[in-house]
Amino acid sequence: DQDSFALIRDPKERIVSAWKSKVTCDTDEEIPGHRMFVPRLLKLAGPSSNMTARTDKGFPCLDLSDYLAVLSQIHAQGREGSLNEQFLPQHLGCFKDVPPSMWTVVTTISGPNALCSLKSVVSKSANMSNTDDGCQIMIKTHNYTRNVDLSRADEDILDRITIKEYEMLRKYLDA
């Protein structure tokens, strides 16, 4: 009987975070991956999406609403399982074959005890004594959806493309 650990992310936060770190136009400097991620997303959405990347900054990028529209098109075509791991829904990636319900410890990345929980599981599996060292490690996280302006249409898209993730993860996110 071995302990296991699952680290989950809020689906909407994860999607907006991926936009900010991989494809955003809200920067004056190219982010590593712009030239790879943006074309791949557009290709996966297909020509019927009529979406194109902005190039006025000297590199391909997507505004948030365009990014969400591209993801919506990909999901509508049932192609979300082909997304790169940065954009892939958690229920089709990390937890496809081993859902959080099969893990001993499930926590969010922003959970105040996330690192302490991981330390506990690792210590136990390595047969290390896990003395109460007052583990109070804090993890710096970002709440991306609070730092961006989402239109009602953007919120609707986020609701639609994250519904399956929330079905799997809601009880852990609300804990």
Side-chain angles (χ1 to χ4, degrees), residues 29 50 74 102 119:
E29 295 183 28
N50 293 322
I74 292 167
M102 295 176 69
K119 180 181 174 189

Side-chain angles (χ1 to χ4, degrees), residues 16-114:
V16 175
S17 172
W19 168 73
K20 279 198 154 217
S21 68
K22 303 297 179 209
V23 299
T24 185
C25 292
D26 288 351
T27 180
D28 290 325
E29 295 183 28
E30 183 174 356
I31 296 172
H34 264 129
R35 294 183 192 276
M36 176 181 65
F37 291 120
V38 173
R40 284 185 183 173
L41 285 170
L42 292 171
K43 183 176 181 181
L44 194 56
S48 64
S49 71
N50 293 322
M51 300 296 298
T52 57
R54 277 184 48 191
T55 57
D56 56 300
K57 300 223 175 201
F59 51 86
C61 62
L62 294 169
D63 291 317
L64 180 58
S65 292
D66 291 340
Y67 163 71
L68 292 174
V70 167
L71 285 181
S72 179
Q73 185 77 344
I74 292 167
H75 281 253
Q77 296 172 27
R79 301 180 77 187
E80 65 270 29
S82 298
L83 285 164
N84 175 280
E85 65 186 15
Q86 307 296 325
F87 310 101
L88 183 70
Q90 293 166 93
H91 70 285
L92 297 176
C94 304
F95 305 119
K96 182 177 180 181
D97 297 318
V98 185
S101 61
M102 295 176 69
W103 295 74
T104 308
V105 177
V106 180
T107 187
T108 63
I109 196 165
S110 60
N113 297 316

Side-chain angles (χ1 to χ4, degrees), residues 143-154:
N143 191 334
Y144 285 108
T145 56
R146 290 189 189 148
N147 297 327
V148 296
D149 292 324
L150 294 170
S151 69
R152 183 69 228 154
D154 292 343

